[in-house]
């Protein structure tokens, strides 16, 4: 079994859900792992004759809509509670569900892989050694021999592929490849995923990328690279908020850079994303200082600090983290 501890427990949850209505929740500003996990798990539950739907605070990003098929997927404003029980996937804390936390008084189950997960649900199934929540759910579905059709397999595959950076990040393991291979056997199409995810970019995103690259700054003798977008960047380039997804990886790819970041200045707050090449740098700990969290190598945050106050604080936090790593290595 891929998940000998989680699979029997999640199977019991599914058994208890028969005859009930379920809403599979994801986090706001959803990424590939979020949507892939929501769609894949919802489809598995429906194949088990459980009345399940997906609900998210935000719309499904353009490049991920191909995953939906006939899966019932609602934005919060179009959803009626009507007795649905909530199961969250890929959400490290309840605040990540956005306005859905105002709709659901409690979360029945929480399935996630973030090291920063706060275990906020009645039942929590967390494996921070997994590369993606879709890896957990795909593995559990395979362990339990649940029905996995072509669309379900594609959703889980995309979740895994995106959160491993197309199988490039340190979280990529033998289990990742084995589960992905079995999903391909069940109909997942890597070529289709790659085309939809990376070969359908808008001109606005290309212009936004140009703006981001021009903003890059090296700090700490080239060990840190940070780029920024001001609140006018999207309007000036014709890009949308989802078009900033993945830009930080360009900063991360520079030789000698250990920690990379993107800062988005918005009208009422600042959104930041951090990446690093090795788990020892623990960018989730840096993000936690600004009310964020995530993975050891990929984390994010939102803060209402003024930029003039925030940026020096961010550099101080990064510098302290680099010092800790350097000291530990002697």
């Amino acid at each position: 079994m891929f998940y000998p501890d989680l699979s029997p427990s999640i199977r019991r949850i599914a058994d208890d859900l028969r005859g009930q209505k379920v809403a599979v929740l994801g986090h706001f500003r959803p990424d590939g792992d979020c949507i892939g996990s929501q769609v894949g798990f919802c489809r598995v539950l429906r194949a088990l004759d459980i009345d399940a739907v997906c609900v998210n605070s935000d719309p499904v990003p353009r490049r991920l809509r191909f995953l939906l098929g006939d899966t019932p997927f609602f934005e919060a404003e179009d959803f009626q509670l009507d007795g649905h029980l909530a199961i969250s996937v890929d959400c490290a804390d309840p605040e990540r569900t956005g306005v859905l936390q105002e709709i659901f008084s409690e979360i029945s189950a929480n399935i996630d892989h973030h090291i920063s997960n706060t275990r906020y649900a009645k039942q929590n199934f967390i494996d921070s050694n997994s590369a993606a929540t879709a890896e957990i759910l795909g593995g559990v579905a395979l362990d339990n021999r649940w029905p996995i059709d072509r669309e379900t397999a594609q959703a889980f595959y995309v979740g895994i592929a995106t959160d491993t950076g197309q199988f490039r990040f340190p979280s990529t393991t033998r289990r990742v490849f084995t589960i992905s291979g079995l999903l391909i056997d069940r109909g997942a199409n890597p070529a289709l995923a790659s085309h939809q995810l990376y070969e359908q970019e808008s001109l606005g995103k290309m212009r936004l990328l140009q703006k981001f690259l021009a903003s890059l700054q090296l700090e700490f003798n080239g060990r840190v690279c940070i780029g920024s977008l001001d609140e006018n960047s999207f309007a000036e380039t014709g890009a949308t908020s989802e078009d900033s997804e993945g830009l930080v990886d360009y900063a991360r790819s520079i030789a000698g850079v250990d920690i990379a970041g993107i800062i988005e200045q918005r009208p009422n707050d600042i959104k930041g994303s951090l990446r690093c090449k090795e788990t020892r740098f623990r960018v989730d700990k840096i993000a936690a200082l600004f009310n964020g969290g995530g993975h050891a190598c990929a984390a994010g945050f939102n803060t209402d600090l003024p930029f003039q106050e925030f940026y020096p604080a961010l550099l101080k936090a990064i510098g302290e983290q680099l010092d800790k790593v350097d000291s530990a290595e002697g």
Side-chain angles (χ1 to χ4, degrees):
M1 294 181 77
F2 295 112
Y3 291 95
D5 295 326
L6 292 183
S7 291
S9 299
I10 295 178
R11 182 179 66 244
R12 286 193 289 273
I13 288 288
D15 290 341
D16 291 342
L17 291 173
R18 295 183 188 279
Q20 303 193 65
K21 292 187 286 189
V22 179
V24 181
L25 315 184
H27 59 75
F28 60 78
R29 293 195 66 168
D31 58 8
D33 190 23
C34 175
I35 298 299
S37 295
Q38 283 189 269
V39 170
F41 191 47
C42 178
R43 295 186 68 86
V44 165
L45 293 178
R46 292 177 68 84
L48 296 173
D49 294 322
I50 295 167
D51 184 3
V53 299
C54 299
V55 190
N56 201 292
S57 290
D58 290 336
V60 177
R62 172 183 52 81
R63 65 183 187 142
L64 295 171
R65 289 176 196 152
F66 78 103
L67 294 178
L68 298 185
D70 60 354
T71 311
F73 206 112
F74 296 90
E75 289 181 44
E77 60 187 20
D78 300 320
F79 174 70
Q80 297 295 321
L81 182 57
D82 195 26
H84 284 81
L85 298 176
I87 297 180
S88 66
V89 296
D90 203 41
C91 292
D93 57 67
E95 288 74 23
R96 292 283 291 163
T97 65
V99 298
L100 297 180
Q101 64 183 319
E102 301 170 7
I103 298 175
F104 294 94
S105 59
E106 66 177 15
I107 306 295
S108 297
N110 158 31
I111 305 171
D112 187 33
H113 75 124
H114 290 93
I115 196 170
S116 58
N117 192 284
T118 60
R119 299 180 178 271
Y120 51 87
K122 292 176 66 177
Q123 299 188 69
N124 301 281
F125 305 97
I126 316 300
D127 186 87
S128 60
N129 292 316
S130 293
T133 302
E135 180 190 359
I136 298 173
L137 291 169
V140 167
L142 290 164
D143 284 345
N144 289 318
R145 298 185 179 182
W146 286 337
I148 300 176
D149 64 11
R150 184 184 303 274
E151 289 77 16
T152 304
Q154 187 76 71
F156 285 146
Y157 176 87
V158 165
I160 295 170
T162 52
D163 251 28
T164 57
Q166 293 294 292
F167 309 99
R168 295 180 293 114
F169 295 164
S171 58
T172 306
T173 62
R174 180 185 179 91
R175 182 175 65 190
V176 164
F177 283 117
T178 302
I179 291 175
S180 297
L182 292 171
L183 292 173
I184 291 171
D185 289 344
R186 285 158 176 76
N189 186 332
L192 174 63
S194 180
H195 176 71
Q196 293 289 343
L197 292 171
Y198 306 112
E199 297 174 354
Q200 297 289 309
E201 302 292 10
S202 66
L203 180 60
K205 178 162 185 174
M206 295 297 99
R207 290 173 172 158
L208 191 70
L209 171 60
Q210 184 180 33
K211 205 172 188 66
F212 173 70
L213 294 176
S215 76
L216 295 181
Q217 295 186 59
L218 291 174
E219 308 280 1
F220 299 99
N221 296 316
R223 297 182 66 185
V224 174
C225 183
I226 298 177
S228 62
L229 299 170
D230 63 34
E231 58 185 273
N232 299 316
S233 296
F234 295 94
E236 290 172 353
T237 59
T240 64
S241 59
E242 69 184 66
D243 286 326
S244 64
E245 180 75 24
L247 297 188
V248 67
D249 292 323
Y250 287 91
R252 177 184 175 274
S253 69
I254 296 173
V257 168
D258 293 320
I259 296 176
I262 179 173
I263 299 168
E264 297 179 42
Q265 299 179 58
R266 303 189 294 192
N268 300 312
D269 67 352
I270 292 172
K271 176 184 182 293
S273 296
L274 300 172
R275 299 289 185 271
C276 62
K277 293 175 180 174
E278 300 178 51
T279 56
R280 61 197 173 109
F281 291 106
R282 291 297 301 271
V283 292
D284 62 298
K285 291 188 174 182
I286 301 171
L289 299 174
F290 302 96
N291 302 313
H295 314 293
C297 285
F301 59 86
N302 291 80
T303 178
D304 57 6
L305 289 173
F307 183 80
Q308 294 80 2
E309 181 181 342
F310 160 72
Y311 192 71
L314 175 64
L315 290 183
K316 182 175 182 290
I318 291 174
E320 290 174 350
Q321 186 68 6
L322 290 175
D323 288 343
K324 287 179 184 178
V325 173
D326 293 345
S327 298
E329 295 176 353

